């Protein structure tokens, strides 16, 4: 909402947890590989925010940053890989900050997203978490796959082009003009961030018909999303997995009860593709 969107991403966590805990244990997925630590309860802030201005909402996002980052830092310091479910993409900043501080190094990041989320530092919101992280030294190289030409301002695209640490590919070049395949787009991005701890981001609003504030009728498929997670987990040194922006119910009344099951597929794909790797 601090980015002029529709609230509701907080609705995903409990249904997603229920779906995850109903997955069957098998040879390829052991329950002991996963620890459910808990969740942040920001219901009081959500209630307080109902009549707030954009400026006041952005101050509240800053409070969320300060609350999330220390917990993420403790998880990373314990040698665990955080899997963050739900909430807006604003949480990319405190996640990158917490893990970067725990590891005492800037992270690389790969993001499958329709938007750069690299907008100006006008106050914290879901559209500028990666810029804040890059400017404050928590984010080194940043790769975005599948940007939509209709929803990214030219000035930001020009800035990304001019920065050697930033790189992106367009959805239209992959699926419309077919300049390269989806696999090639992901593989090229993986090669640019490999060799350093890397955050794996997947904004659920880039998946076709998934409920979110910026839901799209024209996006990647669910199998593309699953392939992306699996390839990144297998070929990179993951620092975390972040699955933001999905919802079960939005503030405008729209609902979709399939989002939790999709998130569960993505989480289990990540765990299956990342067995017994030593932390770097």
């Amino acid at each position: 909402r601090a980015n002029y969107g529709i609230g509701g991403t907080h609705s995903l966590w409990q249904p997603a947890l229920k779906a995850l805990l109903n997955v069957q244990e098998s040879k390829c997925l052991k329950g002991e590989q996963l620890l459910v630590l808990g969740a942040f309860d920001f219901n009081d802030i959500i209630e307080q925010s109902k009549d707030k201005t954009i400026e006041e909402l952005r101050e509240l996002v800053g409070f969320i940053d300060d609350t999330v980052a220390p917990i993420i830092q403790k998880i990373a310091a314990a040698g665990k890989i955080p899997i963050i479910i739900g909430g807006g993409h604003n949480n990319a900043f405190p996640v990158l900050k917490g893990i970067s501080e725990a590891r005492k190094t800037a992270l690389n990041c790969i993001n499958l997203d329709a938007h750069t989320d690299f907008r100006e530092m006008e106050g914290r919101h879901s559209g500028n978490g990666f810029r804040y992280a890059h400017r404050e030294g928590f984010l080194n190289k940043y790769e975005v796959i599948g940007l939509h030409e209709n929803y990214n301002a030219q000035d930001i695209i020009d800035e990304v082009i001019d920065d050697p640490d930033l790189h992106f590919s367009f959805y239209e070049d992959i699926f419309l003009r077919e300049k390269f395949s989806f696999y090639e787009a992901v593989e090229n991005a993986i090669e640019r961030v490999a060799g350093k701890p890397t955050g794996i981001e997947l904004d659920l609003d880039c998946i076709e018909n998934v409920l979110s504030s910026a839901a799209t009728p024209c996006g990647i498929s669910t199998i593309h999303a699953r392939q992306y997670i699996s390839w990144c987990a297998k070929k990179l040194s993951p620092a975390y997995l972040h699955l933001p922006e999905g919802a079960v119910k939005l503030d405008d009344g729209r609902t979709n009860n399939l989002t939790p099951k999709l998130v569960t597929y993505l989480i289990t794909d990540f765990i299956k593709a990342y067995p017994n790797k030593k932390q770097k």
Side-chain angles (χ1 to χ4, degrees), residues 10-24:
H10 64 285
S11 68
L12 179 59
W13 162 248
Q14 287 292 347
L17 178 61
K18 182 178 180 180
L20 180 62
L21 296 180
N22 274 284
V23 171
Q24 297 295 317

Side-chain angles (χ1 to χ4, degrees), residues 148-173:
H148 287 205
E149 291 176 342
N150 287 2
Y151 299 104
N152 288 277
Q154 189 61 49
D155 60 336
I156 296 178
I157 296 300
D158 290 341
E159 182 178 359
V160 171
I161 290 173
D162 291 338
D163 191 325
D165 289 336
L166 312 177
H167 189 269
F168 64 88
S169 60
F170 279 116
Y171 176 93
E172 288 78 7
D173 284 339

Side-chain angles (χ1 to χ4, degrees), residues 50-266:
K50 288 183 177 179
D51 299 315
K52 298 290 187 183
T53 65
I54 284 292
E55 290 73 20
E56 290 171 325
L57 289 173
R58 291 174 179 176
E59 289 181 8
L60 291 176
V61 174
F63 172 80
I64 292 174
D65 289 345
D66 294 340
T67 305
V68 171
I71 302 299
I72 295 293
Q73 182 180 13
K74 290 180 180 179
I75 296 170
K80 304 301 180 184
I81 300 175
I83 298 175
I84 302 97
I85 305 167
H89 221 157
N90 52 287
N91 289 316
F93 171 69
V95 170
L96 284 162
K97 178 181 179 181
I99 299 176
S100 174
E101 289 179 339
R103 295 191 174 213
K104 296 180 172 52
T105 184
L107 303 179
N108 289 345
C109 187
I110 189 168
N111 183 19
L112 183 57
D113 202 335
H115 317 92
T116 62
D117 290 345
F118 210 79
R119 286 172 50 185
E120 62 183 285
M121 297 170 71
E122 57 193 359
R124 285 285 294 115
H125 55 67
S126 63
N128 60 20
F130 296 102
R131 181 185 289 271
Y132 273 81
H134 190 53
R135 290 291 179 88
E136 295 192 22
F138 306 127
L139 172 62
N140 183 26
K141 292 183 179 179
Y142 179 44
E143 289 282 331
V144 193
I145 302 161
L147 293 182
H148 287 205
E149 291 176 342
N150 287 2
Y151 299 104
N152 288 277
Q154 189 61 49
D155 60 336
I156 296 178
I157 296 300
D158 290 341
E159 182 178 359
V160 171
I161 290 173
D162 291 338
D163 191 325
D165 289 336
L166 312 177
H167 189 269
F168 64 88
S169 60
F170 279 116
Y171 176 93
E172 288 78 7
D173 284 339
I174 301 169
F175 297 105
L176 187 63
R177 304 181 187 102
E178 297 184 325
K179 291 184 177 180
F180 38 82
S181 68
F182 179 68
Y183 174 79
E184 289 171 329
V186 177
E187 187 68 18
N188 290 338
I190 286 174
E191 288 179 2
R192 279 186 283 265
V193 295
K196 192 177 181 69
T198 301
I200 300 174
E201 300 265 355
L202 198 170
D203 189 326
L204 295 178
D205 69 19
C206 75
I207 305 173
E208 212 166 87
N209 298 320
V210 168
L211 187 65
S212 69
S213 176
T216 181
C218 184
I220 65 165
S221 68
T222 53
I223 189 60
H224 286 134
R226 293 185 65 184
Q227 288 173 329
Y228 163 78
I229 293 294
S230 185
W231 294 337
C232 288
K234 182 178 180 180
K235 298 182 179 183
L236 292 171
S237 178
Y240 67 86
L241 173 65
H242 187 198
L243 303 172
E245 295 294 343
V248 171
K249 183 177 181 179
L250 292 175
D251 288 354
D252 62 6
R254 284 179 289 163
T255 62
N256 188 330
N257 292 324
L258 291 177
T259 315
K261 194 166 185 178
L262 172 60
V263 166
T264 294
Y265 276 115
L266 298 172

Side-chain angles (χ1 to χ4, degrees), residues 31-44:
E32 64 190 17
Q33 294 175 273
L34 183 68
L35 169 68
V36 180
L37 179 63
F40 293 96
D41 184 355
F42 291 122
N43 284 322
D44 288 345

